[in-house]
Amino acid sequence: DGGITQSPKYLFRKEGQNVTLSCEQNLNHDAMYWYRQDPGQGLRLIYYSQIVNDFQKGDIAEGYSVSREKKESFPLTVTSAQKNPTAFYLCASSPPGRLNTEAFFGQGTRLTVV
Amino acid sequence: AQKVTQAQTEISVVEKEDVTLDCVYETRDTTYYLFWYKQPPSGELVFLIRRNSFDEQNEISGRYSWNFQKSTSSFNFTITASQVVDSAVYFCALSEATGNQFYFGTGTSLTVIP
């Protein structure tokens, strides 16, 4: 089945550690996005990529990094510079340059700092 | 500036009641797109509807209906005869033809009480 797969579903990180969240899609979409969700704040854009080997910062990129080496994959690294990383992270994709089409979402990764 | 405003943070209704979720948007583009998503407790965002700025026709899909009014920049969502399974967080979103991302509201948490 076509879709977006995020892993792991739950992730625990010690303070000072970097962690990487996986996002894979088999929808043949060029555009991919990472959102962070905190209670009462909706979805905030971290990074997005419109094409392989290119990505742009969103509204809250500080403390995060991404790569886009393959069309299917858009991993997000939460670095130790991110001071408050505990949140729910959602990955999404959409067809290229066509924001008239809805974005498709993965099931999310819940990151907790312990 | 907030491009999408969902003023209702939480709503509780008794089963079988009708409920309307409000969404107000802001854009200078003449071509834009509006979306509603449902986020059940599992976390994944489920696409419900898409509307483009040139189509103000209201839409009905089963118990769901949407009222798009450009004059008031609103795209409200009504659930008729609510059911417990409708309990979720609902997000309204906007994309612009000249833009490259989706803008989400802060969401409305709906609880349907049996």
Side-chain angles (χ1 to χ4, degrees):
Chain A
D1 289 350
I4 300 179
T5 301
Q6 290 186 242
S7 62
K9 190 171 183 179
Y10 299 96
L11 186 57
F12 297 90
R13 188 193 94 171
K14 292 183 180 180
E15 286 192 21
Q17 281 185 338
N18 292 355
V19 289
T20 297
L21 284 59
S22 170
C23 178
E24 303 277 334
Q25 55 99 358
N26 59 5
L27 299 167
N28 200 34
H29 288 169
D30 280 320
M32 296 187 74
Y33 313 82
W34 273 107
Y35 291 92
R36 170 177 170 146
Q37 184 178 12
D38 295 282
Q41 295 197 48
L43 275 65
R44 293 184 290 170
L45 183 64
I46 305 172
Y47 268 98
Y48 62 97
S49 168
Q50 297 292 338
I51 197 169
V52 174
N53 292 322
D54 185 54
F55 47 83
Q56 306 294 329
K57 291 183 178 180
D59 301 319
I60 56 166
E62 185 175 352
Y64 300 97
S65 66
V66 293
S67 63
R68 188 80 188 279
E69 297 176 1
K70 298 187 301 181
K71 187 176 185 177
E72 301 80 18
S73 179
F74 191 40
L76 173 74
T77 296
V78 184
T79 74
S80 57
Q82 171 49 240
K83 298 307 178 188
N84 185 22
T86 294
F88 188 56
Y89 292 87
L90 283 159
C91 178
S93 71
S94 67
R98 291 175 54 193
L99 292 180
N100 57 327
T101 303
E102 65 274 18
F104 294 78
F105 284 83
Q107 291 192 318
T109 293
R110 190 167 297 281
L111 173 63
T112 303
V113 174
V114 296
Chain B
Q2 187 77 12
K3 285 186 175 285
V4 178
T5 301
Q6 294 180 256
Q8 303 152 308
T9 306
E10 296 181 357
I11 300 176
S12 292
V13 298
V14 176
E15 198 171 22
K16 297 185 182 178
E17 286 185 347
D18 299 346
V19 58
T20 295
L21 310 182
D22 298 332
C23 174
V24 174
Y25 62 91
E26 178 183 335
T27 180
R28 294 182 179 180
D29 280 29
T30 55
T31 302
Y32 55 89
Y33 310 93
L34 297 163
F35 308 83
W36 274 97
Y37 286 86
K38 175 182 180 179
Q39 185 181 41
S42 61
E44 181 177 356
L45 265 72
V46 178
F47 166 73
L48 296 177
I49 191 172
R50 173 186 66 248
R51 257 296 176 259
N52 72 58
S53 52
F54 299 106
D55 183 3
E56 284 194 75
Q57 205 170 30
N58 292 332
E59 181 157 339
I60 298 174
S61 176
R63 295 184 298 107
Y64 295 171
S65 62
W66 291 269
N67 183 347
F68 176 29
Q69 291 195 348
K70 289 178 73 171
S71 61
T72 56
S73 297
S74 65
F75 186 44
N76 296 338
F77 172 31
T78 297
I79 301 175
T80 303
S82 59
Q83 300 176 1
V84 172
V85 293
D86 296 327
S87 296
V89 180
Y90 291 86
F91 289 97
C92 181
L94 164 77
S95 66
E96 299 163 320
T98 59
N100 50 19
Q101 62 171 290
F102 298 90
Y103 299 94
F104 285 83
T106 52
T108 297
S109 178
L110 174 65
T111 301
V112 180
I113 303 166

